[in-house]
Amino acid sequence: MQDTTQNLATADIGWINPPLDRTSPLPLYAQIKQRLIGLILRWEQPDRRFYSDEQLCAFFCVSRDTVRQALSELVRDGMLTRSRGLGTFVSARKLEERFGPGMDFIRQWEAAGTPIQSTLLIFERCGADDQVADALKIEVGAQILFIKRTRAAARVPVAIDYRYLPADLVTDWDESSALASPLHLLWQCVELRNGEFAIEAGVAGPEEVEYLHLNAGAPVLIRTLRYRDADGRLVMAGHTVHRGDLVRYSLNVPLSREAGVAASAIGKTAVHSGVHDD
């Protein structure tokens, strides 16, 4: 075990830890797959051969069949390639997501070769409760559209989205709209002025355990958001809970006097998950 660990890059060891949970209802191969996706999406050397079956078996203390099942799914999902005599290589690429006109991040992911799968959990027009009314600055009971969905990459759930929009703006939306990019659809019909964001650390609760297949107390990243139109009206609010082991955010903020503070000049880069699809 020690020899195998020494053969793994130090940064990679941290990424595929903690140890597998052998009491979890999630099969061992699926847990290995989740660990390896995080590793694949931060792979810096495309020409560097991925770890062998033997290394992964020794590191995770599982059988060769278990490792091969995880790897075969990653090959099927297009994240790895395997060649007899050459070994296994990473085929997934990092994705740079940037704010700009349209902001259709789902298509950005598809173009980068890592399509996102969305699963709609709730699509409901209802009255705003106290919390939602405060987020959208509307009266309690005002009609809103509530969207709740999960998003997955390579069939591994990476995020839960909660979105709230004034119902009068989206009268023609149906469930298919929620499976696309709500932000992009909103941009097509409303002149947006800016977005407001906050990112904070959190821990997995019951919903994250159920939908993201995390252990209770596992780290998550919570991104809250609000978008305003040209008149300053809040047209969408909500938050996303991301798996903390599969997401990294970095911001590039222009500081030159010429750049000013135009929202369109602010870029964002995310690694898997980054999954910044509003």
Side-chain angles (χ1 to χ4, degrees):
M1 177 68 178
Q2 183 177 4
D3 291 341
T4 300
T5 301
Q6 290 175 348
N7 290 332
L8 298 178
T10 302
D12 294 348
I13 293 172
W15 196 258
I16 61 179
N17 274 326
L20 302 179
D21 181 1
R22 296 177 185 271
T23 66
S24 171
L26 191 66
L28 292 179
Y29 83 87
Q31 295 184 49
I32 293 173
K33 180 182 176 182
Q34 290 184 354
R35 305 288 203 285
L36 295 182
I37 285 175
L39 178 59
I40 289 167
L41 291 168
R42 60 191 299 274
W43 198 258
E44 299 291 347
Q45 300 170 281
D47 295 332
R48 172 186 162 201
R49 186 161 50 190
F50 197 66
Y51 294 115
S52 68
D53 296 5
E54 292 78 9
Q55 287 176 306
L56 295 175
C57 287
F59 188 84
F60 288 114
C61 297
V62 296
S63 69
R64 191 181 185 93
D65 287 343
T66 300
V67 164
R68 283 185 168 177
Q69 188 171 2
L71 293 177
S72 66
E73 290 202 1
L74 292 170
V75 171
R76 180 195 65 193
D77 296 333
M79 305 193 79
L80 292 175
T81 58
R82 286 163 74 86
S83 301
R84 185 179 298 274
L86 296 177
T88 305
F89 292 86
V90 170
S91 55
R93 296 173 294 168
K94 292 183 179 179
L95 172 68
E96 180 174 281
E97 297 176 345
R98 301 191 66 84
F99 285 107
M103 296 174 283
D104 190 343
F105 300 118
I106 285 182
R107 291 185 181 178
Q108 290 184 26
W109 279 85
E110 290 176 349
T114 309
I116 294 294
Q117 303 92 38
S118 297
T119 300
L120 186 61
L121 302 176
I122 298 176
F123 183 89
E124 179 183 18
R125 290 179 169 85
C126 56
D129 61 18
D130 292 349
Q131 186 175 3
V132 174
D134 182 64
L136 286 173
K137 301 305 178 187
I138 57 178
E139 294 184 359
V140 174
Q143 287 294 296
I144 63 162
L145 173 62
F146 172 38
I147 297 171
K148 177 181 175 181
R149 65 180 185 176
T150 60
R151 281 178 287 130
R155 297 178 177 81
V156 172
V158 295
I160 312 172
D161 296 326
Y162 305 81
R163 299 291 183 266
Y164 308 94
L165 303 95
D168 64 289
L169 290 179
V170 290
T171 56
D172 59 337
W173 284 25
D174 56 23
E175 293 188 359
S176 65
S177 306
L179 293 175
S181 169
L183 176 58
H184 180 67
L185 294 175
L186 194 62
W187 173 83
Q188 291 179 316
C189 62
V190 176
E191 184 179 354
L192 297 177
R193 186 179 74 185
N194 69 292
E196 304 165 6
F197 307 95
I199 300 172
E200 60 182 328
V203 296
E207 292 216 332
E208 290 73 41
V209 171
E210 179 179 359
Y211 295 119
L212 299 184
H213 302 169
L214 292 171
N215 294 325
V220 297
L221 287 178
I222 304 169
R223 177 172 55 87
T224 58
L225 58 95
R226 297 198 303 179
Y227 288 97
R228 296 180 184 272
D229 67 12
D231 296 323
R233 178 190 180 187
L234 286 162
V235 294
M236 184 163 70
H239 68 282
T240 292
V241 182
H242 295 290
R243 288 183 57 123
D245 58 342
L246 297 181
V247 178
R248 182 180 70 206
Y249 285 106
S250 63
L251 300 177
N252 178 20
V253 181
L255 298 177
S256 66
R257 291 183 176 85
E258 293 78 9
V261 293
S264 62
I266 299 178
K268 169 185 158 297
T269 301
V271 178
H272 219 321
S273 289
V275 185
H276 180 82
D277 163 43
D278 293 321

